[in-house]
Amino acid sequence: MKNWTKTPVTKQQIERLCNQHIQNKIKTLFGKDLSEQEEKYYTQILASIFLRRNIKEQKDILFYLEDDLRFQHNPFLFNSMEDAVERILQARDENEKVLIFGDKDVDGITSTTILYDYLKKIGIDISWRVPVNNDAYGLSIEAIDDFAAIEGSLIITVDCGISNINEINHANDLGIDVIVTDHHNAPEVLPDAIVILDPKTHDSGYPFSDISGAAVAYKLVSALRFANTDFYNAEICLFNISEDNENKCYNVDCLSIRNLTKVKELHEKIIPGKTSIYDLKLPYFLQGQLIYVWDAQKTKDILKEIFGSGIEFNLNDLKKDIVKMMPSLATKNVEDLKELSLIAKYIDEENTAINSLFNLYVTYCKRIIASKFSEDVIDEQKDLQLVAIAAIADIMPLQNENRIFVRKGIESIKKYKPRPGLLELFSKMRIDIEAITAKDLSWSLTPALNAAGRLGEADVAAKLLTSDNPQERESLAEQVYMFNEKRKQMVMDTYYLMHNKSEESLHENQEKLCLIIDKQINKGLTGNFAGKLMQEFGIPAIAISECEDMFVGSMRTCRGVIATDFLNQFGDFFINHGGHNFAAGFSFEKSKLEAFKQKIKEIVSKLELEEENSNISIDAEIPPQLLSPSTFRLLDIMEPFGSQNTELIVKSSGVRIAEATVVGKKEPFSLKLLIDCGKYKFPAIFWNEAQRLNRDIFIGESYDILYNMSRNHFNRMTNSQFEIIDIKANS
């Protein structure tokens, strides 16, 4: 029996969190017909959901309430981004041959496509390569030698490279530069690449570490697009001076900006008649920069009053430029901007005039760029489709800017239709584009794209996404579809074949780890198989395939075990290894098999697993009489669902079972229900629980239910329904 639990939140906590942002979002979603009482209720419900999910900071709530691309992080927050851009532009200008080397999974294929499309567009002599057949993970010596043979001079890795120390040293010896773009956990010693862009390195500078490899590639392309504008590398200083009547002085605030990121700040006080210009750091701070102010004439008058007419400041009037684009700001002074800046109200910084001016300046620049480079905007929409798919496929946490990527990517698929390659695969798989969600993509499209790489044919999936030929894409989509069908059958066959072996492994490893080593496991499916074992037994699992000269394996983890930490305990045992917290891959020489087994026993003896949680944590309790079709609009705030943002679990007490029907073609059968909530009745599905009908579930009786809210799309019709998690007698 599962326990239903609900983290208590106080009225004071809810009221503290119920700010204007949440209230406005409720108003926008639920419409004008929402009564004042309903508005207050749903605002409190949403606030309580955030609190129970430990989403308490405004900077985190932002990514649930907003999805404008303006809120994503600037690519130049990567400390090395400018170096990467300059090296790539040099390659273009000097007609160098450039190779993109990607991984063979969905993240690697989408990363490769994003970068290849753009570099090809700007005229670079570009080619791509991904591991095929029995190629190992990551950049290979063979790939480097082949590239050197055609006089290539720059390799850019995507979704790999951070662990390829020896390979990158080999490239350096051949005079080939390597830019690493990756997102995997970084080793203690980093490769000697000319540039590394990996948000998981300690000095990356990037504020969010859990983006996909495709997102890193997208950031690089975004930076390259920005480098094509007049704003690139411009030295800008935002300047503001305000009178402090209480202290009888003036406050000077300066903010240096480069590539729309903050570089340094200066804050000084000027006391009229006492402070000389030579006492200030201000003149030195302003040197070599374009100085922008809000209302140049007013600022000049103040400076003249303080320093006299002998000192001239060369000021540019930002207000005049911005008002042309945003006429509503014509009557606003710099202090008014603090109240108008939406982003400033979310982020954890003092809402000063200079910060508001910075946010407005960034918005202004982005609008200018969008209007001048409309083709880039269209291309960015295509890129976001791939970034969304990569985030879902690589099980990135659906928090922070990943939420924007997935939302905007899915929105792009629906609004502009899938990009070439995806369109053919969607059609082949009969995926309903209008109804697609992140959950749907995780169950349909991403396994199909992954299947190509798992079966050693990653280049087929990459060709599908990069081909300019519609006929070729149709043929490639068919191949990818068939790979997926073959993969599903092979995983099931292997599972049944290895089932007894897996149970023996549990006993041998103290019920802490499931380890299967067998040459009958397809090398490319070790990850799939390990994942299936982990799900069945609820413990970490490792699946290893025997290849010609080595063993190749994958690990999938749960219950607090970090995959990369687990493998790092082997020291330099592996030929190569790497991955994420919950998924990793590795390979080792055949001669080391017994040593591997012995080390596993040693690690398992000290391994501690977190206890499995039998509790079901409730997000919200909604009385039946307050349930309506509008309630399902909460999904529009909380979606996309996935890693670290699971589907909402709602409790409603005292609902009546109006109808019940057994459905399904084979056991275990499911229950199709009609739930009477008073004013409204909702269809519901209770998966695999048909045997409970007339045992402890009876038509006409009242029950307490736990459920996910969902939308069922069928024949171009959308219906709100409950997916029942558990049912108990009404208490």
Side-chain angles (χ1 to χ4, degrees), residues 399-646:
Q399 299 174 340
N400 207 280
E401 67 179 345
N402 283 335
R403 297 185 57 75
I404 292 178
F405 295 150
V406 175
R407 277 181 168 176
K408 301 305 283 188
I410 292 175
E411 178 187 295
S412 173
I413 288 171
K414 293 178 177 179
K415 187 174 180 180
Y416 302 108
K417 78 180 183 180
R419 56 171 289 145
L422 290 185
L423 179 63
E424 289 79 7
L425 193 54
F426 269 81
S427 176
K428 187 66 62 179
M429 300 185 71
R430 298 182 180 178
I431 296 172
D432 184 354
I433 294 171
E434 293 181 3
I436 200 74
T437 65
K439 184 179 177 181
D440 296 329
L441 289 172
S442 71
W443 282 100
S444 58
L445 188 79
T446 60
L449 281 172
N450 253 336
R454 305 245 184 239
L455 298 180
E457 305 274 4
D459 56 332
V460 175
K463 286 175 186 174
L464 171 64
L465 296 179
T466 56
S467 173
D468 293 328
N469 187 314
Q471 288 75 31
E472 183 183 33
R473 291 198 302 269
E474 285 290 343
S475 173
L476 293 167
E478 175 67 24
Q479 290 182 57
V480 169
Y481 175 78
M482 295 309 299
F483 289 150
N484 192 40
E485 294 301 302
K486 183 178 179 181
R487 173 200 64 86
K488 288 189 284 188
Q489 189 60 52
M490 290 175 71
V491 171
M492 290 305 299
D493 291 346
T494 305
Y495 174 74
Y496 289 122
L497 194 63
M498 301 290 166
H499 198 268
N500 290 340
K501 208 170 184 178
S502 63
E503 292 187 335
E504 291 171 9
S505 172
L506 293 178
H507 178 70
E508 292 173 3
N509 292 292
Q510 306 172 41
E511 309 290 328
K512 295 180 183 179
L513 176 75
C514 185
L515 169 64
I516 302 293
I517 305 172
D518 200 293
K519 62 183 178 182
Q520 295 182 81
I521 302 173
N522 183 284
K523 172 193 167 185
L525 300 179
T526 54
N528 282 123
F529 188 48
K532 195 164 184 65
L533 293 172
M534 183 196 72
Q535 289 174 353
E536 178 176 358
F537 298 116
I539 58 174
I542 296 175
I544 299 176
S545 173
E546 182 180 345
C547 300
E548 292 178 3
D549 56 349
M550 69 179 75
F551 288 98
V552 177
S554 296
M555 183 176 192
R556 297 293 182 266
T557 64
C558 58
R559 296 177 63 180
V561 176
I562 304 300
T564 48
D565 289 350
F566 185 98
L567 297 179
N568 285 340
Q569 294 178 74
F570 284 82
D572 59 0
F573 180 91
F574 297 115
I575 297 171
N576 57 52
H577 74 285
H580 308 298
N581 289 353
F582 305 109
F586 57 89
S587 63
F588 60 89
E589 296 164 3
K590 275 193 172 182
S591 60
K592 293 183 176 181
L593 179 60
E594 291 306 314
F596 175 82
K597 290 179 178 178
Q598 190 59 40
K599 185 65 176 179
I600 285 287
K601 288 181 180 179
E602 178 188 323
I603 295 173
V604 167
S605 67
K606 302 173 185 177
L607 189 65
E608 293 186 8
L609 302 182
E610 294 178 354
E611 289 295 320
E612 287 189 278
N613 192 353
S614 62
N615 295 329
I616 303 177
S617 184
I618 300 168
D619 287 303
E621 187 166 354
I622 303 179
Q625 63 272 20
L626 292 176
L627 286 167
S628 73
S630 296
T631 309
F632 286 74
R633 292 174 189 167
L634 289 171
L635 295 176
D636 298 323
I637 298 172
M638 300 307 297
E639 285 184 334
F641 296 119
S643 175
Q644 297 186 37
N645 187 52
T646 54

Side-chain angles (χ1 to χ4, degrees), residues 186-231:
E188 287 186 17
V189 178
L190 296 176
D192 189 22
I194 60 163
V195 181
I196 294 177
L197 298 176
D198 186 334
K200 288 190 175 70
T201 57
H202 73 277
D203 61 346
S204 77
Y206 202 70
F208 182 54
S209 64
D210 290 321
I211 57 175
S212 67
V216 178
Y218 163 76
K219 293 292 177 180
L220 176 54
V221 168
S222 297
L224 286 164
R225 287 183 179 128
F226 184 80
N228 195 37
T229 73
D230 294 336
F231 299 105

